[in-house]
Amino acid sequence: MRNLTESNLTEAVLAKLATTEDARFRQIAESLVRHLHEFVREVELTEDEWLKAILFLTAVGHKCDDKRQEFILLSDTLGVSMLVDAINHRYPEGSTETTVFGPFYQTGAPEFENGANIAEGVAGKPTYFSGRVLDEKGVAVAGAIVDIWAVDGEGWYDVQLAHLEAMQVRGRLKTDDLGRFWFWTVKPVSYPVPSDGPVGDMLRAMGRHPYRPAHIHFMLSAPGYRNIITHVFVAGDGYLDSDVVFGVKSSLVTEFTEHAAGRAPDGTVMQTPYFVAEYDFHLARENS
Ligand code: BEZ
Ligand code: FE
């Protein structure tokens, strides 16, 4: 293996992978090498550009810590996360569409009773959210876990606020016998993904804005059903058609309707105007 050239170098590297024991790893590594080499050939990468790419990826790594995942952000903003999501969640017709997980989920969010306020003391517009968890045929799924996380009224996740000691605007509920769940929160707002790192530099170089349309994240699970990770988006948001992470699906958009002060659907008497939103989720059976 000497005197390798532009035209036979790829084959030489691929030949080296022939001894890879794990068949799936071999398939992935071979495809990666082929596409990487083809990419370099196609754009005729200069040495300066190659070094710039290495330094960019190094900066992406340096930006990561236990609260910040710049590689996921890179994957999200290049549409890779949504492609992986689409390939891995080919759920049957009738089940709720999935979307990007994002970097702000936290395990161990507090458990709440239905009707609780998951955003107690958080600035924002009070919102009553209710819905049902059903199977693909519309039959109620009782005891499903509804795991919720969202930004505060100013567009920040709790993990982004260094001064906070406890989680906020996140929690876990359980559906009742009719598959229903309901809670109070604050109306989500559109917000920029973190853009003070190399991914932000990349977005600016591409002339792109960093915004996501307002949404609430949901993760739904119940024994015998496939987990669903998704969002519910606020109808009318100005970024629905330009989400920086390509995550919007029309079936996930719902109205958040403003009401004057008065009695809310769960009987709470509101002294201020508030919003009401409703969304039903449909789970697919395992192995469907
Ligand atoms: C989010 O919606 O939380 C999110 C998703 C992808 C990148 C950044 C944030
Ligand atoms: Fe989000």
Side-chain angles (χ1 to χ4, degrees), residues 72-73 76-77 81 100-105 149 151 157 191-194 212-213 215 217 231 243-245:
I72 294 184
L73 197 56
D76 294 340
T77 50
S81 304
V100 64
F101 191 41
F104 295 122
Y105 178 72
W149 67 107
V151 287
Y157 284 92
Y191 64 87
V193 299
R212 297 218 63 210
H215 58 272
H217 294 255
H231 308 351
D243 182 7
V244 67
V245 303

mmCIF file of all heavy atoms in Angstrom, residues 72-73 76-77 81 100-105 149 151 157 191-194 212-213 215 217 231 243-245, ligand 1:
data_model
loop_
_atom_site.group_PDB
_atom_site.id
_atom_site.type_symbol
_atom_site.label_atom_id
_atom_site.label_comp_id
_atom_site.label_asym_id
_atom_site.label_seq_id
_atom_site.Cartn_x
_atom_site.Cartn_y
_atom_site.Cartn_z
ATOM 1 N N ILE A 72 -25.055 18.511 19.732
ATOM 2 C CA ILE A 72 -26.479 18.286 19.425
ATOM 3 C C ILE A 72 -27.039 19.504 18.694
ATOM 4 O O ILE A 72 -27.774 19.379 17.710
ATOM 5 C CB ILE A 72 -27.291 17.986 20.706
ATOM 6 C CG1 ILE A 72 -26.850 16.646 21.312
ATOM 7 C CG2 ILE A 72 -28.798 17.941 20.390
ATOM 8 C CD1 ILE A 72 -27.654 16.196 22.522
ATOM 9 N N LEU A 73 -26.638 20.679 19.140
ATOM 10 C CA LEU A 73 -27.104 21.916 18.494
ATOM 11 C C LEU A 73 -26.654 21.957 17.030
ATOM 12 O O LEU A 73 -27.408 22.370 16.140
ATOM 13 C CB LEU A 73 -26.537 23.109 19.270
ATOM 14 C CG LEU A 73 -27.181 24.458 19.036
ATOM 15 C CD1 LEU A 73 -28.679 24.419 19.301
ATOM 16 C CD2 LEU A 73 -26.519 25.509 19.927
ATOM 17 N N ASP A 76 -28.818 19.572 15.208
ATOM 18 C CA ASP A 76 -30.169 20.132 15.075
ATOM 19 C C ASP A 76 -30.228 21.168 13.960
ATOM 20 O O ASP A 76 -31.144 21.169 13.140
ATOM 21 C CB ASP A 76 -30.592 20.828 16.384
ATOM 22 C CG ASP A 76 -30.750 19.872 17.555
ATOM 23 O OD1 ASP A 76 -30.917 18.662 17.323
ATOM 24 O OD2 ASP A 76 -30.696 20.342 18.713
ATOM 25 N N THR A 77 -29.259 22.076 13.952
ATOM 26 C CA THR A 77 -29.326 23.211 13.022
ATOM 27 C C THR A 77 -28.948 22.817 11.599
ATOM 28 O O THR A 77 -29.185 23.574 10.664
ATOM 29 C CB THR A 77 -28.410 24.368 13.499
ATOM 30 O OG1 THR A 77 -27.115 23.828 13.778
ATOM 31 C CG2 THR A 77 -28.967 25.027 14.754
ATOM 32 N N SER A 81 -30.677 15.962 13.176
ATOM 33 C CA SER A 81 -31.510 15.412 14.262
ATOM 34 C C SER A 81 -32.901 15.067 13.748
ATOM 35 O O SER A 81 -33.458 14.014 14.086
ATOM 36 C CB SER A 81 -31.624 16.416 15.411
ATOM 37 O OG SER A 81 -30.345 16.776 15.861
ATOM 38 N N VAL A 100 -38.021 16.956 17.223
ATOM 39 C CA VAL A 100 -36.680 16.960 17.826
ATOM 40 C C VAL A 100 -36.732 16.960 19.370
ATOM 41 O O VAL A 100 -37.571 17.630 19.966
ATOM 42 C CB VAL A 100 -35.898 18.177 17.260
ATOM 43 C CG1 VAL A 100 -36.532 19.487 17.677
ATOM 44 C CG2 VAL A 100 -34.450 18.154 17.637
ATOM 45 N N PHE A 101 -35.844 16.199 19.976
ATOM 46 C CA PHE A 101 -35.777 16.084 21.440
ATOM 47 C C PHE A 101 -35.221 17.367 22.060
ATOM 48 O O PHE A 101 -35.730 17.866 23.056
ATOM 49 C CB PHE A 101 -34.883 14.888 21.779
ATOM 50 C CG PHE A 101 -34.903 14.469 23.222
ATOM 51 C CD1 PHE A 101 -36.072 14.435 23.955
ATOM 52 C CD2 PHE A 101 -33.731 14.054 23.831
ATOM 53 C CE1 PHE A 101 -36.091 14.023 25.284
ATOM 54 C CE2 PHE A 101 -33.730 13.631 25.160
ATOM 55 C CZ PHE A 101 -34.903 13.618 25.882
ATOM 56 N N GLY A 102 -34.165 17.894 21.453
ATOM 57 C CA GLY A 102 -33.541 19.111 21.987
ATOM 58 C C GLY A 102 -32.672 18.802 23.184
ATOM 59 O O GLY A 102 -32.693 17.697 23.724
ATOM 60 N N PRO A 103 -31.881 19.788 23.613
ATOM 61 C CA PRO A 103 -30.893 19.547 24.673
ATOM 62 C C PRO A 103 -31.380 19.877 26.081
ATOM 63 O O PRO A 103 -30.596 19.791 27.017
ATOM 64 C CB PRO A 103 -29.758 20.500 24.275
ATOM 65 C CG PRO A 103 -30.457 21.644 23.618
ATOM 66 C CD PRO A 103 -31.706 21.108 22.990
ATOM 67 N N PHE A 104 -32.642 20.264 26.260
ATOM 68 C CA PHE A 104 -33.041 20.808 27.558
ATOM 69 C C PHE A 104 -33.880 19.878 28.417
ATOM 70 O O PHE A 104 -34.405 20.288 29.453
ATOM 71 C CB PHE A 104 -33.779 22.147 27.364
ATOM 72 C CG PHE A 104 -32.886 23.228 26.794
ATOM 73 C CD1 PHE A 104 -33.206 23.867 25.613
ATOM 74 C CD2 PHE A 104 -31.710 23.589 27.439
ATOM 75 C CE1 PHE A 104 -32.385 24.851 25.086
ATOM 76 C CE2 PHE A 104 -30.878 24.568 26.924
ATOM 77 C CZ PHE A 104 -31.217 25.202 25.743
ATOM 78 N N TYR A 105 -34.000 18.610 28.022
ATOM 79 C CA TYR A 105 -34.734 17.658 28.871
ATOM 80 C C TYR A 105 -33.905 17.368 30.122
ATOM 81 O O TYR A 105 -32.680 17.306 30.061
ATOM 82 C CB TYR A 105 -34.986 16.354 28.096
ATOM 83 C CG TYR A 105 -35.694 15.319 28.939
ATOM 84 C CD1 TYR A 105 -37.037 15.482 29.251
ATOM 85 C CD2 TYR A 105 -35.014 14.210 29.443
ATOM 86 C CE1 TYR A 105 -37.696 14.555 30.049
ATOM 87 C CE2 TYR A 105 -35.667 13.279 30.235
ATOM 88 C CZ TYR A 105 -37.009 13.469 30.539
ATOM 89 O OH TYR A 105 -37.657 12.562 31.332
ATOM 90 N N TRP A 149 -41.805 19.816 29.409
ATOM 91 C CA TRP A 149 -40.802 20.848 29.716
ATOM 92 C C TRP A 149 -40.945 21.989 28.720
ATOM 93 O O TRP A 149 -41.324 21.792 27.568
ATOM 94 C CB TRP A 149 -39.383 20.308 29.788
ATOM 95 C CG TRP A 149 -38.720 19.777 28.538
ATOM 96 C CD1 TRP A 149 -37.726 20.380 27.814
ATOM 97 C CD2 TRP A 149 -38.940 18.500 27.906
ATOM 98 N NE1 TRP A 149 -37.336 19.570 26.766
ATOM 99 C CE2 TRP A 149 -38.055 18.421 26.800
ATOM 100 C CE3 TRP A 149 -39.788 17.429 28.150
ATOM 101 C CZ2 TRP A 149 -38.008 17.308 25.951
ATOM 102 C CZ3 TRP A 149 -39.756 16.318 27.302
ATOM 103 C CH2 TRP A 149 -38.869 16.270 26.222
ATOM 104 N N VAL A 151 -40.043 26.623 28.112
ATOM 105 C CA VAL A 151 -39.374 27.850 28.566
ATOM 106 C C VAL A 151 -40.310 28.652 29.469
ATOM 107 O O VAL A 151 -41.521 28.435 29.473
ATOM 108 C CB VAL A 151 -38.975 28.761 27.370
ATOM 109 C CG1 VAL A 151 -37.800 28.192 26.606
ATOM 110 C CG2 VAL A 151 -40.167 29.022 26.449
ATOM 111 N N TYR A 157 -35.052 28.268 29.436
ATOM 112 C CA TYR A 157 -35.225 27.015 30.184
ATOM 113 C C TYR A 157 -34.562 27.184 31.541
ATOM 114 O O TYR A 157 -33.552 27.888 31.667
ATOM 115 C CB TYR A 157 -34.581 25.850 29.424
ATOM 116 C CG TYR A 157 -35.428 25.412 28.252
ATOM 117 C CD1 TYR A 157 -35.231 25.946 26.997
ATOM 118 C CD2 TYR A 157 -36.451 24.497 28.433
ATOM 119 C CE1 TYR A 157 -36.028 25.579 25.927
ATOM 120 C CE2 TYR A 157 -37.260 24.120 27.371
ATOM 121 C CZ TYR A 157 -37.044 24.660 26.125
ATOM 122 O OH TYR A 157 -37.854 24.299 25.087
ATOM 123 N N TYR A 191 -38.033 31.573 21.067
ATOM 124 C CA TYR A 191 -36.747 31.889 21.714
ATOM 125 C C TYR A 191 -35.588 31.479 20.801
ATOM 126 O O TYR A 191 -35.753 30.595 19.955
ATOM 127 C CB TYR A 191 -36.629 31.166 23.076
ATOM 128 C CG TYR A 191 -36.604 29.659 22.968
ATOM 129 C CD1 TYR A 191 -35.410 28.974 22.759
ATOM 130 C CD2 TYR A 191 -37.778 28.905 23.055
ATOM 131 C CE1 TYR A 191 -35.384 27.592 22.648
ATOM 132 C CE2 TYR A 191 -37.759 27.530 22.953
ATOM 133 C CZ TYR A 191 -36.557 26.883 22.740
ATOM 134 O OH TYR A 191 -36.526 25.519 22.613
ATOM 135 N N PRO A 192 -34.431 32.137 20.955
ATOM 136 C CA PRO A 192 -33.281 31.745 20.137
ATOM 137 C C PRO A 192 -32.561 30.550 20.760
ATOM 138 O O PRO A 192 -32.426 30.489 21.982
ATOM 139 C CB PRO A 192 -32.383 32.987 20.176
ATOM 140 C CG PRO A 192 -32.739 33.656 21.467
ATOM 141 C CD PRO A 192 -34.150 33.300 21.812
ATOM 142 N N VAL A 193 -32.104 29.607 19.952
ATOM 143 C CA VAL A 193 -31.225 28.563 20.484
ATOM 144 C C VAL A 193 -29.916 29.255 20.858
ATOM 145 O O VAL A 193 -29.623 30.343 20.349
ATOM 146 C CB VAL A 193 -30.987 27.419 19.453
ATOM 147 C CG1 VAL A 193 -32.295 26.736 19.094
ATOM 148 C CG2 VAL A 193 -30.266 27.915 18.209
ATOM 149 N N PRO A 194 -29.121 28.671 21.761
ATOM 150 C CA PRO A 194 -27.901 29.361 22.183
ATOM 151 C C PRO A 194 -27.020 29.699 20.963
ATOM 152 O O PRO A 194 -26.709 28.826 20.164
ATOM 153 C CB PRO A 194 -27.218 28.334 23.093
ATOM 154 C CG PRO A 194 -28.349 27.466 23.581
ATOM 155 C CD PRO A 194 -29.325 27.393 22.457
ATOM 156 N N ARG A 212 -36.563 29.484 17.451
ATOM 157 C CA ARG A 212 -37.537 28.398 17.412
ATOM 158 C C ARG A 212 -38.911 28.994 17.710
ATOM 159 O O ARG A 212 -39.035 29.848 18.597
ATOM 160 C CB ARG A 212 -37.248 27.353 18.510
ATOM 161 C CG ARG A 212 -35.902 26.657 18.347
ATOM 162 C CD ARG A 212 -36.041 25.205 18.715
ATOM 163 N NE ARG A 212 -36.973 24.553 17.812
ATOM 164 C CZ ARG A 212 -37.744 23.519 18.121
ATOM 165 N NH1 ARG A 212 -37.692 23.003 19.336
ATOM 166 N NH2 ARG A 212 -38.571 22.985 17.236
ATOM 167 N N PRO A 213 -39.956 28.539 17.010
ATOM 168 C CA PRO A 213 -41.300 29.018 17.342
ATOM 169 C C PRO A 213 -41.720 28.500 18.723
ATOM 170 O O PRO A 213 -41.247 27.452 19.166
ATOM 171 C CB PRO A 213 -42.169 28.399 16.241
ATOM 172 C CG PRO A 213 -41.394 27.233 15.732
ATOM 173 C CD PRO A 213 -39.946 27.535 15.936
ATOM 174 N N HIS A 215 -43.253 26.719 21.799
ATOM 175 C CA HIS A 215 -43.716 25.325 21.888
ATOM 176 C C HIS A 215 -43.579 24.825 23.313
ATOM 177 O O HIS A 215 -42.817 25.375 24.116
ATOM 178 C CB HIS A 215 -42.879 24.425 20.964
ATOM 179 C CG HIS A 215 -41.426 24.473 21.291
ATOM 180 N ND1 HIS A 215 -40.571 25.409 20.741
ATOM 181 C CD2 HIS A 215 -40.653 23.736 22.136
ATOM 182 C CE1 HIS A 215 -39.357 25.231 21.224
ATOM 183 N NE2 HIS A 215 -39.383 24.243 22.089
ATOM 184 N N HIS A 217 -42.636 21.100 25.131
ATOM 185 C CA HIS A 217 -42.156 19.739 24.858
ATOM 186 C C HIS A 217 -42.991 18.723 25.634
ATOM 187 O O HIS A 217 -43.311 18.959 26.810
ATOM 188 C CB HIS A 217 -40.709 19.568 25.339
ATOM 189 C CG HIS A 217 -39.714 20.383 24.597
ATOM 190 N ND1 HIS A 217 -38.854 19.852 23.661
ATOM 191 C CD2 HIS A 217 -39.421 21.705 24.651
ATOM 192 C CE1 HIS A 217 -38.071 20.805 23.196
ATOM 193 N NE2 HIS A 217 -38.394 21.940 23.768
ATOM 194 N N HIS A 231 -43.531 18.074 20.365
ATOM 195 C CA HIS A 231 -43.874 19.390 20.913
ATOM 196 C C HIS A 231 -45.322 19.690 20.535
ATOM 197 O O HIS A 231 -45.838 19.146 19.566
ATOM 198 C CB HIS A 231 -43.127 20.550 20.258
ATOM 199 C CG HIS A 231 -41.654 20.504 20.147
ATOM 200 N ND1 HIS A 231 -40.837 19.587 20.724
ATOM 201 C CD2 HIS A 231 -40.824 21.359 19.482
ATOM 202 C CE1 HIS A 231 -39.583 19.870 20.425
ATOM 203 N NE2 HIS A 231 -39.549 20.935 19.663
ATOM 204 N N ASP A 243 -38.364 27.550 11.566
ATOM 205 C CA ASP A 243 -37.735 26.976 12.763
ATOM 206 C C ASP A 243 -36.268 26.633 12.473
ATOM 207 O O ASP A 243 -35.974 25.909 11.524
ATOM 208 C CB ASP A 243 -38.508 25.697 13.140
ATOM 209 C CG ASP A 243 -37.973 25.031 14.393
ATOM 210 O OD1 ASP A 243 -37.091 25.607 15.066
ATOM 211 O OD2 ASP A 243 -38.457 23.914 14.705
ATOM 212 N N VAL A 244 -35.369 27.147 13.296
ATOM 213 C CA VAL A 244 -33.922 26.958 13.049
ATOM 214 C C VAL A 244 -33.514 25.477 13.114
ATOM 215 O O VAL A 244 -32.474 25.101 12.562
ATOM 216 C CB VAL A 244 -33.085 27.822 14.028
ATOM 217 C CG1 VAL A 244 -33.226 27.332 15.461
ATOM 218 C CG2 VAL A 244 -31.619 27.875 13.627
ATOM 219 N N VAL A 245 -34.341 24.629 13.739
ATOM 220 C CA VAL A 245 -33.977 23.204 13.818
ATOM 221 C C VAL A 245 -34.929 22.320 12.998
ATOM 222 O O VAL A 245 -34.921 21.099 13.129
ATOM 223 C CB VAL A 245 -33.857 22.703 15.278
ATOM 224 C CG1 VAL A 245 -32.837 23.527 16.041
ATOM 225 C CG2 VAL A 245 -35.197 22.709 16.002
HETATM 226 C C1 BEZ B 1 -35.536 22.958 22.135
HETATM 227 O O1 BEZ B 1 -36.616 23.050 21.618
HETATM 228 O O2 BEZ B 1 -35.494 22.921 23.354
HETATM 229 C C2 BEZ B 1 -34.301 22.929 21.295
HETATM 230 C C3 BEZ B 1 -34.221 22.055 20.247
HETATM 231 C C4 BEZ B 1 -33.080 22.034 19.475
HETATM 232 C C5 BEZ B 1 -32.038 22.910 19.757
HETATM 233 C C6 BEZ B 1 -32.132 23.795 20.810
HETATM 234 C C7 BEZ B 1 -33.287 23.822 21.586
#
